Amino acid sequence: MRHANDVGEDQVPDHLVVSPRPNRRTAVLGAAALGAAALAPSALQTASASASTTASSASGASNSAGRIDVHQHAMTPAGRQWLIDHGLLPPSGGPPWAQWDLDSTLQIMDETGIAAGVLSGPVPSEFLAGLTADQIREMTKVGNESLAEVVRGHPKRFGFFGFLPLNQVDVALEAAAYALDTLKADGVAVNLHSAGLYLGDPSFDPVLAELNRRKAVVFTHPFNLAGCGGAPVAEFLVDFLTDTTRAAVKMVLNGTLTRFPDLKLILPHGGGFFPYMAGRLQLGTYLGAGVDEATAVRSVKRFFYDTAMPTSPHATPSLLAGAGGDRILFGSDWPAATADGARLNARAVDTDPFLDQATRRRVNRENAQRLLPALARRMAS
């Protein structure tokens, strides 16, 4: 059975339709949607992925053995409607990350052996530029409350990361308190850049200081490269990974990881290029813009990384060598990656020749259990 977000080998999905009166932000949305459509694997890959995940789903979806997916996008009906009402999404269609419904999500989770998924809905920072602080506050509240409602209805199957809009520091601080204290979020989600500035910029320090005080889990997500346009390839292929790398390097160079040692930061998509180019930071010391070898090595081990690229098997050896098997978390990227992409991410981890059985268990479940103890308790209750 195919899902609403499946993309066939010779098809363009109907959710790529953009608003008949596109503005700058919906134009950006259309570009992102086209990039995600290119991610869809071939029919042969899909069949292979489905075959490999069928066996795991028979026992994997149970709470005693299934994966914990830390990278699930969720644009709830309430959150989607708010964005439509304010011209940020077209009335129908839109990008894959905005195509979410509970039934399809549970179906793909069961199929790919995901016992629980951690939902997040970070709205790309570019879309917030034309909104007032009050509008951003309202949007954030609607989105986070609707995610909390999903968790309340299915506490063993879902957790969520509350979205914080970094372009409004005061609103972000309010949202953090409300999400973590009242809504009982499992952590927070932030964009890697906002208003042209990257995480690590001092303007975001008040938010990071509060999250550090709380020892919070911080899920991060990229978008198109800040300040760049006219990419020669689909943005998700390169720019998303570079966006992640820019933010990670910025945090290292500005001492963010040292000043906020209790932050638990998750870099998506295997950390972009950061784990594999960190050695270049040492070269920078000869040119006045780098760190010493010990800092570079230590910085790679400070982040958590999810598998949603997929990272397996091409990046696994470097990621294991640099970060270690205890810092890698399973991520499906559903529904942004489409159902076929979610299957491919699961299959890649299941068949990765560089993951032994013990490490695969840590990646699929045990690392997330330690990182997200409240979710682990709900799953076990």
Side-chain angles (χ1 to χ4, degrees):
M1 179 182 226
R2 296 188 70 81
H3 297 264
N5 283 352
D6 281 349
V7 180
E9 186 174 17
D10 300 314
Q11 295 175 304
V12 175
D14 58 9
H15 56 249
L16 298 187
V17 177
V18 297
S19 169
R21 294 189 300 167
N23 54 31
R24 182 182 67 83
R25 292 187 292 273
T26 53
V28 174
L29 270 169
L34 289 171
L39 177 61
S42 68
L44 180 61
Q45 288 174 306
T46 301
S48 180
S50 296
S52 73
T53 55
T54 298
S56 67
S57 66
S59 61
S62 69
N63 280 340
S64 64
R67 315 178 208 263
I68 298 175
D69 180 4
V70 303
H71 191 152
Q72 275 198 28
H73 297 267
M75 183 56 63
T76 62
R80 178 181 172 83
Q81 190 60 52
W82 196 97
L83 294 176
I84 291 172
D85 291 344
H86 291 78
L88 299 174
L89 282 178
S92 61
W97 56 260
Q99 305 298 310
W100 182 91
D101 70 83
L102 179 60
D103 290 342
S104 293
T105 297
L106 290 170
Q107 186 176 342
I108 196 69
M109 287 170 65
D110 289 344
E111 180 183 336
T112 54
I114 297 171
V118 188
L119 307 176
S120 59
V123 178
S125 59
E126 284 81 351
F127 300 176
L128 308 182
L131 300 179
T132 67
D134 284 343
Q135 287 175 322
I136 293 173
R137 180 179 288 107
E138 180 184 23
M139 179 206 71
T140 301
K141 189 170 187 288
V142 168
N144 288 343
E145 286 182 342
S146 63
L147 292 179
E149 185 177 352
V150 175
V151 176
R152 284 194 296 271
H154 303 269
K156 293 178 180 288
R157 299 305 305 270
F158 294 108
F160 87 101
F161 296 135
F163 174 59
L164 307 185
L166 290 180
N167 67 325
Q168 293 286 340
V169 169
D170 290 342
V171 176
L173 288 169
E174 294 171 13
Y178 185 58
L180 295 170
D181 296 338
T182 302
L183 300 179
K184 306 302 180 184
D186 296 279
V188 300
V190 300
N191 293 307
L192 285 161
H193 72 260
S194 186
L197 302 174
Y198 277 87
L199 279 183
D201 189 272
S203 61
F204 302 134
D205 278 3
V207 178
L208 296 184
E210 174 60 14
L211 296 175
N212 182 73
R213 184 185 71 80
R214 292 172 173 270
K215 298 179 171 58
V217 176
V218 183
F219 176 78
T220 67
H221 203 277
F223 196 58
N224 301 347
L225 280 174
C228 295
V233 296
E235 288 87 348
F236 81 92
L237 281 175
V238 177
D239 287 9
F240 280 25
L241 309 181
T242 306
D243 199 48
T244 303
T245 305
R246 280 185 174 186
V249 170
K250 181 77 171 180
M251 286 187 274
V252 173
L253 295 180
N254 281 13
T256 304
L257 304 177
T258 302
R259 288 182 290 113
F260 305 121
D262 292 323
L263 285 178
K264 303 176 182 70
L265 289 149
I266 302 173
L267 296 180
H269 311 126
F273 306 125
F274 174 68
Y276 324 109
M277 57 70 61
R280 189 170 178 83
L281 288 169
Q282 301 165 48
L283 175 63
T285 59
Y286 304 110
L287 301 173
V291 296
D292 59 80
E293 180 181 2
T295 300
V297 171
R298 186 168 59 248
S299 297
V300 174
K301 296 180 182 298
R302 270 283 280 114
F303 293 103
F304 290 87
Y305 306 85
D306 76 42
T307 65
M309 189 154 60
T311 57
S312 296
H314 307 287
T316 307
S318 295
L319 191 55
L320 286 172
D326 292 335
R327 311 295 287 190
I328 308 173
L329 308 161
F330 179 80
S332 71
D333 215 348
W334 163 265
T338 75
D340 286 347
R343 295 184 188 111
L344 179 60
N345 275 311
R347 171 183 174 271
V349 171
D350 286 346
T351 60
D352 192 327
F354 301 104
L355 295 176
D356 59 36
Q357 186 175 3
T359 304
R360 187 175 285 109
R361 282 198 307 269
R362 294 201 294 273
V363 170
N364 273 331
R365 183 182 180 90
E366 293 170 2
N367 294 339
Q369 284 178 310
R370 287 191 294 271
L371 187 64
L372 304 166
L375 175 60
R377 288 192 296 270
R378 292 198 303 274
M379 295 174 68
S381 64

